[in-house]
Amino acid sequence: MAIRFIILTLLFLSSCTIPSLSLYEDQVGLMDWHQQYIGKVKHAVFHTQKTGRKRVVVSTEENVIASLDLRHGEIFWRHVLGINDVVDGIDIALGKYVITLSSDGSTLRAWNLPDGQMVWESFLRGSKHSKPLLLVPTNLKVDKDSLILVSSKGCLHAVSSIDGEILWTRDFAAESVEVQQVIQLDESDQIYVVGYAGSSQFHAYQINAMNGELLNHETAAFSGGFVGDVALVSSDTLVTLDTTRSILVTVSFKNRKIAFQETHLSNLGEDSSGMVEILPSSLTGMFTVKINNYKLFIRLTSEDKLEVVHKVDHETVVSDALVFSEGKEAFAVVEHGGSKVDITVKPGQDWNNNLVQESIEMDHQRGLVHKVFINNYLRTDRSHGFRALIVMEDHSLLLVQQGKIVWNREDALASIIDVTTSELPVEKEGVSVAKVEHSLFEWLKGHMLKLKGTLMLASPEDVAAIQAIRLKSSEKSKMTRDHNGFRKLLIVLTKARKIFALHSGDGRVVWSLLLHKSEACDSPTELNLYQWQTPHHHAMDENPSVLVVGRCGVSSKAPAILSFVDTYTGKELNSFDLVHSAVQVMPLPFTDSTEQRLHLLVDDDRRIHLYPKTSEAISIFQQEFSNIYWYSVEADNGIIKGHAVKSKCAGEVLDDFCFETRVLWSIIFPMESEKIIAAVSRKQNEVVHTQAKVTSEQDVMYKYISKNLLFVATVAPKASGHIGSADPDEAWLVVYLIDTITGRILHRMTHHGAQGPVHAVLSENWVVYHYFNLRAHRYEMSVTEIYDQSRAVCL
């Protein structure tokens, strides 16, 4: 009895002494949550020296450069480059600078490794486009200054890693040579530069990297010609394909002599019919060839002959080679086997032996492995262990070590392409006994954790659990809708074809779903998200759902694909591969008895298709047949058209849910003076808070409220490029407000000396648009309001 009294007393005291958190006055109301992501990783460099924090520096397809904590995956620092500033390569110089090459090899930057501050920036010039290559040689120093070698714009540049000064430049474009590889000879001050002139002439240059002096130049012609990428298998040998893509050409350029050796794929026991390509890799003595749906791993023997060491017809990814000890190399092979992923680390050119072999359970929602980078570390017994950084199909990033996933990042959220909202479930009355017992257990567990925190006995895991409980019990983090409707699910669609449901209260991921490829479509593109079913009258027994519309290919004529997803569970309810395309999707303001919204899909022949395909939907549509209008914008042709429904489809297309259309009006902009660069309309579900505005003179002005208002911006053709592509006198921006039912131009304004890009927001009776003023050398914003003069009241 005494023990029970003590426990109850301690629980009471712990409930009365809950630690509180507070904000500074200037932090109130700023933001509820903030998350940072980096995107799909394409380059990675490990920095795991004994001193300092262990980190991995990455660049991504979203043009982000970031430094990640290797232990937890957190971001130390990141930089988001411009849309056109694509990262071509990254490396680490002097152990303290992150070197990045971007903008098609024209911009070289150095960033401070610990904090990400930019140290210097150099712009590399040249006369011709060429493949950008970045090489940070080892043990190549000039007066205690390491060199950085960059091949871009038809030239080879040697750049100082200390201040970015260009020390020397050699122009290969002048000799009509397209550089394919820059190779450092073993820890010497000499480099090889190899490339093609035309499609059949091979050139090999031996250069002193210290001063750019040409030491030797050899050239030889190959009658079969070269095509595609090259695979460097040693410091003086590479492999490429001939123009027929049926012969592997081994090019040796050692001892100041160029030699070619041909190997027919048929001699390797392989059929060369179909698409053949050499995959980019960096393996000593080995390379990978992809033929249709299978891959060949080919080794260069000591007699300079090629032999197949492995053949796979399933998804397999190989890392670049890693030097983990003096004279020793390793590489990783990742293969899928059901729900597991097998990771094997092999030594050098020896495919038959394994240094490490691990198998991990992988969530099928992550898809396939796309890239793998490996790093080594010393175990306590002084043996070598390996960790793998894996990039998945859903753009997530995982670190795997000793057969376990150490951490993962959902970086698909860096490339959101569409978003909508969904109501949370209604809080139901009555609670089950099991839920009460579970809540009682959680209550006791929570109080015990808080007691440990109060007595300063909590471990770091306990502190994290306490914070999670507080967050979960917070009013704004509940999984039920609130009285005012502020709590919602944010349904976001990403470029990786993955859908996330984020809680608006704290930003946590409630569920995620990767839209898998179908048998008929293995490359869905141009995805968009629409609200499909939003139950109001059936909120207690029906879940909301969303519609995802995409194309099976990049062409506008490609057939469409549909997917329906439950927003509460994240389950894909259904999916369809359509026979027609979908160049435009129009949600209609009508719902059926199940509260599914009607949608019209416009194909490339300007026919419309009604969904859902039910008798009730067609009945509702036919009642509103004469009140349905829409518009289309052909920016390349400078035409805007208004459309209406004409009749059911006839001829070859016999479908009760297919309708022909007719053109009501068209506006043609003269191509020699105007080019359409932006078109924005109002949101169809927008709520207008008031229809009138009272001026300071007590006059009442009535807003021109129309859901059929369209904002269009055009520029002079010469000013349609990047900022500064045209002089102020030959640049102008024209904006229009157009009624999409009648085609009437309600308002027109010209901004002389201005150009795009134009970003606009159209809401109620006003539009705000953003553009660049060439005369003032600045960005500007303009606001236009439109009022209904027919409703003006004279007092």
Side-chain angles (χ1 to χ4, degrees), residues 405-426:
I405 298 176
V406 180
W407 52 260
N408 66 82
R409 294 180 51 86
E410 294 287 359
D411 282 306
L413 289 167
S415 55
I416 294 174
I417 56 178
D418 208 351
V419 62
T420 188
T421 61
S422 173
E423 295 288 352
L424 284 162
V426 177

Side-chain angles (χ1 to χ4, degrees), residues 277-297:
E277 60 178 326
I278 295 179
L279 299 181
S281 64
S282 176
L283 295 177
T284 303
M286 290 185 62
F287 62 98
T288 309
V289 175
K290 183 178 181 182
I291 305 177
N292 295 328
N293 294 324
Y294 63 91
K295 296 176 183 177
L296 297 176
F297 296 93

Side-chain angles (χ1 to χ4, degrees), residues 531-547:
Q531 290 190 351
W532 176 252
Q533 185 177 22
T534 308
H536 295 292
H537 303 293
H538 305 84
M540 301 298 289
D541 48 21
E542 291 284 347
N543 291 356
S545 57
V546 292
L547 166 66

Side-chain angles (χ1 to χ4, degrees), residues 372-584:
V372 59
F373 308 90
I374 62 170
N375 178 243
N376 68 295
Y377 61 94
L378 283 176
R379 298 191 179 103
T380 53
D381 60 358
R382 310 305 294 174
S383 64
H384 288 279
F386 296 88
R387 57 173 72 94
L389 188 70
I390 298 178
V391 184
M392 302 299 296
E393 182 182 357
D394 69 338
H395 296 190
S396 60
L397 186 66
L398 300 84
L399 184 74
V400 176
Q401 186 172 323
Q402 296 181 353
K404 295 181 180 180
I405 298 176
V406 180
W407 52 260
N408 66 82
R409 294 180 51 86
E410 294 287 359
D411 282 306
L413 289 167
S415 55
I416 294 174
I417 56 178
D418 208 351
V419 62
T420 188
T421 61
S422 173
E423 295 288 352
L424 284 162
V426 177
E427 190 168 2
K428 298 179 181 180
E429 296 181 359
V431 184
S432 65
V433 175
K435 187 172 182 180
V436 170
E437 291 176 351
H438 177 74
S439 298
L440 180 60
F441 173 75
E442 290 294 328
W443 182 82
L444 289 172
K445 178 182 175 183
H447 276 76
M448 288 304 295
L449 285 171
K450 291 173 185 177
L451 177 60
K452 291 175 70 176
T454 303
L455 300 176
M456 302 184 71
L457 299 175
S459 65
E461 291 78 12
D462 293 336
V463 172
I466 293 170
Q467 292 175 346
I469 291 172
R470 285 175 181 157
L471 190 62
K472 187 176 179 180
S473 62
S474 173
E475 188 71 21
K476 68 178 182 181
S477 303
K478 287 185 176 180
M479 277 300 296
T480 56
R481 67 182 69 176
D482 60 318
H483 178 71
N484 296 315
F486 289 141
R487 284 198 301 267
K488 292 184 184 296
L489 285 178
L490 305 178
I491 311 299
V492 299
L493 177 65
T494 66
K495 195 165 61 175
R497 308 188 327 275
K498 193 167 188 179
I499 305 176
F500 292 86
L502 307 179
H503 196 289
S504 64
D506 52 12
R508 71 181 184 274
V509 176
V510 179
W511 56 259
S512 61
L513 170 70
L514 179 65
L515 297 174
H516 290 281
K517 304 172 184 177
S518 64
E519 294 182 1
C521 182
D522 60 352
S523 58
T525 59
E526 300 293 331
L527 300 173
N528 291 102
L529 194 63
Y530 303 92
Q531 290 190 351
W532 176 252
Q533 185 177 22
T534 308
H536 295 292
H537 303 293
H538 305 84
M540 301 298 289
D541 48 21
E542 291 284 347
N543 291 356
S545 57
V546 292
L547 166 66
V548 182
V549 182
R551 291 181 193 161
C552 186
V554 295
S555 171
S556 61
K557 297 181 180 294
I561 53 175
L562 304 182
S563 181
F564 304 89
V565 180
D566 188 316
T567 63
Y568 286 174
T569 64
K571 179 182 178 182
E572 188 173 21
L573 303 174
N574 210 341
S575 62
F576 298 102
D577 295 313
L578 306 183
V579 295
H580 61 81
S581 60
V583 297
Q584 191 174 351

